[in-house]
Amino acid sequence: MFTLASIGQVLVNGASLSAIYVLVALGFTLLFGIMRVVNFAHGAFAMLGGYALYYFWGSFGVPYVIAVPLAAAFVAAVALIAERLVFRWFYQRMFQSLIGLLGLNLALVYSAVLVWDVYERSIPPAFAGLIEVYGLLLPTDRLMVICIALVVLALFWFFMTRTRHGLAMRATAQDLEIAETQGIDTVVTYRIAFLIAIFMTALAGALYAQIYSLSPFMGDRPLLVAFVVVILGGMGSIPGAALGGVILGFTESFLSTFYGASVSSFASFGVVIALLIVRPWGLLGIPETARA
Amino acid sequence: MKDAVLRVAGLAAMLLCLATQPSHAQEELKIGGIGPLSGGGTAWGLALNRGVQMAVDEVNAAGGLKVGETTYKLRLVMLDDAYTATGGRTAADRLISLEKVKHIIGPIGSPAVLGALSATDPSKTLLFSDGFAINILKNDSHAAYNFRSIDTTIEFAPAMIQWLHKNHPEVKKVGMLGPNDATGQAVLPMLAGFYKANGIEVWTDSFDRGAQEFVPLITRMMAQGVDLFDLNSNSPVDAGLMLKQARQVGYKGLIWQVGGPSVAEIMSVAGPLAEGFLSLEMFDFSSPAGQKFAEDYHKQWAGIMNVQTPLWYNTAKILFEALRRAGSTDVDKVRASLIAAEGYDPGIIGPVIWGGQADYGVNHQLLVPFWIAGVKDGKEISLVKILPEKR
């Protein structure tokens, strides 16, 4: 039945799933951590990232290493319009943002339906082969996602801990008023955080669309995954998103392979529910009382 | 002076309008349409909308539909059911009560069809639906006013699996993954029965609708030693991803789909990994009629044409012919005319054949020829044409 090679395959599957989940959750948790915004339009920005990559890489033939960040940057730049018109009104308003951004999500998704129709597209793969190592099959597109997730995490860690803007973001996330009294321009900080969050969301969406498929409705699943991952890791916590993504990815890979999808879903959501009862702020989150 | 000029200009405009108005306006006949126009099933809803609209446009361009002494201009009133039972019921209610529609094409999904039936049956409104649930035709009212215009698993699966058994005798065990909802729970046991009847062992598992990551389940399936992977009735994108991911983790057995059909979409998602894939196909795009239809479709819409589009066009043409032959829009007369229309050829798929008596207790299932298609050198090719058995 299950050989050593198939168990190794489970580990490989878990690593690639974790990488996808971490990437998908990063932008979501950043917006919440800094601005207290529950971005229900997360999936729509991920979808726009997919379409941007479809054009830059699939249609215009921009080299892949440039096309991926270019697509994410393009979406982030265009999203500044949404920041000015919609997001700005919901900063530090968690519950209002939830409903308001759900509306934005619907508007973006059905605008996409009007522009691109509903049919599924596929973004041409940049790496389509398989690498075999000691009987283990490693799809190169999944390996690429693992590498990108590691690079993004490293760059993000460097930005947050080693740059002035990163420091300003952490200070703003901890206490908005104190940060302002210390001379931090929170408007600029918010804008930078927004740009980075949407950049990462669009980047994740572009890779997600390339691995799976691209359509106006593709954002639903990344939104659900992002929610589960950040609740598990702790809303607003970047290390929490990384930890949550890894736990969810490996859990899903092991349980689905050995016990089936139903057991996997039951266990994954069961753990999230149990965690919300005993530690509502997640594994690496900060309790609201500690923030106050 | 200015007022006088304005009055004269207004009068002239009125006279011009009156002069260009026809002596009597053509009477309008509304045809109802129900399908998912939002959410994940939108591609199917648009296929219905566009297929019926093409048939309506064709009739109107030829001067209208002559029913008895009246020549009607047709108008499609299309409503969204969001692929839900409540959506189907609400849309049917609105078409019947507000739009005064007597003939409805759609819905597509079983929950929406059953929802719509609860409104169309009591009001004696004709319904031409899809939906794989048996009780769409096999129900207490003996499907008095509803017909199904697309083959279901019962029509195509036995013949397909027999073909497989004959042409691929090496297949001993099949694996299937299906959504853990009403569709999956209805289709997988049915298919399992057909496979077992041909001596093929069956392994199945289910997943949450909306999931796109199937690698862990495929790894699980491969550990069971299956030599055939049936993508069954999974949606085009799910089926495409299953195929792609199966090949990516080294599954080397045969992959085919007794369901769908969605060969073009699967090729689009899986790319070169779709090579060797076999599938049900419900329309021959390479035939002259198929090529002409695709050409007409692409004059209005870009992108991939869903295979259901010509099937709904075919349904609309059959309804229009029944109306013409009945010489009346009266539902009972049109129903009788429909049943008597066996042999009429709408010119796109083949002549009308009604079946289903043995399976549903009523001959209201349109038997549509289907194909087993394959992907060779990156192109779809038709391998064999099969006509469902009339029982």
Side-chain angles (χ1 to χ4, degrees), chain B residues 26-29 60 64-67 70-74 329:
Chain B
Q26 194 175 14
E27 248 190 272
E28 185 180 79
L29 180 64
N60 288 340
L65 183 69
K66 194 166 187 313
V67 180
T70 314
T71 301
Y72 290 100
K73 183 180 185 218
L74 302 179
T329 58

Side-chain angles (χ1 to χ4, degrees), chain A:
Chain A
M1 297 282 273
F2 288 103
T3 60
L4 202 60
S6 65
I7 292 167
Q9 197 68 51
V10 173
L11 286 170
V12 172
N13 298 343
S16 76
L17 265 179
S18 301
I20 293 166
Y21 290 172
V22 169
L23 275 177
V24 163
L26 276 178
F28 187 83
T29 204
L30 180 65
L31 268 188
F32 183 82
I34 311 285
M35 287 95 124
R36 286 286 175 278
V37 164
V38 182
N39 185 13
F40 255 71
H42 181 78
F45 287 112
M47 173 265 295
L48 291 175
Y51 278 103
L53 184 64
Y54 176 82
Y55 285 108
F56 283 123
W57 159 245
S59 298
F60 306 150
V62 176
Y64 190 70
V65 285
I66 299 169
V68 172
L70 183 64
F74 179 77
V75 173
V78 173
L80 280 176
I81 300 168
E83 195 273 341
R84 183 69 190 86
L85 295 176
V86 184
F87 277 85
R88 196 170 287 188
W89 305 99
F90 296 114
Y91 289 156
Q92 302 296 334
R93 293 179 180 176
M94 193 166 74
F95 294 110
Q96 292 92 329
S97 70
L98 206 138
I99 299 300
L101 296 178
L102 185 64
L104 177 66
N105 183 64
L106 288 173
L108 289 174
V109 167
Y110 285 99
S111 299
V113 170
L114 291 175
V115 175
W116 292 300
D117 212 325
V118 292
Y119 69 89
E120 304 281 344
R121 297 159 197 245
S122 61
I123 301 174
F127 310 94
L130 289 168
I131 297 172
E132 193 170 344
V133 183
Y134 298 113
L136 289 181
L137 287 169
L138 310 172
T140 45
D141 61 346
R142 303 292 178 112
L143 279 178
M144 177 199 68
V145 172
I146 294 172
C147 293
I148 290 177
L150 289 172
V151 170
V152 166
L153 271 175
L155 285 176
F156 194 69
W157 174 83
F158 181 82
F159 176 80
M160 292 299 274
T161 57
R162 297 286 185 272
T163 67
R164 285 179 64 82
H165 285 302
L167 207 61
M169 268 189 213
R170 286 160 58 205
T172 308
Q174 279 181 12
D175 195 312
L176 181 70
E177 287 172 0
I178 297 289
E180 281 178 339
T181 57
Q182 295 298 313
I184 293 172
D185 187 341
T186 52
V187 174
V188 172
T189 304
Y190 272 13
R191 204 165 293 158
I192 292 171
F194 179 85
L195 268 173
I196 293 173
I198 301 299
F199 177 89
M200 289 197 297
T201 303
L203 179 81
L207 298 172
Y208 194 95
Q210 193 171 29
I211 285 183
Y212 299 115
S213 68
L214 174 64
S215 85
F217 302 106
M218 64 154 271
D220 296 351
R221 193 72 185 178
L223 177 65
L224 181 74
V225 166
F227 246 114
V228 175
V229 168
V230 299
I231 287 172
L232 196 63
M235 285 288 272
S237 164
I238 303 295
L243 182 65
V246 169
I247 290 174
L248 190 71
F250 277 96
T251 306
E252 194 175 314
S253 178
F254 270 96
L255 293 180
S256 292
T257 306
F258 294 115
Y259 300 102
S262 303
V263 172
S264 169
S265 294
F266 184 80
S268 301
F269 283 95
V271 167
V272 170
I273 291 167
L275 190 75
L276 283 173
I277 293 168
V278 298
R279 197 177 161 86
W281 52 91
L283 291 173
L284 299 181
I286 300 167
E288 284 298 311
T289 47
R291 289 180 191 275

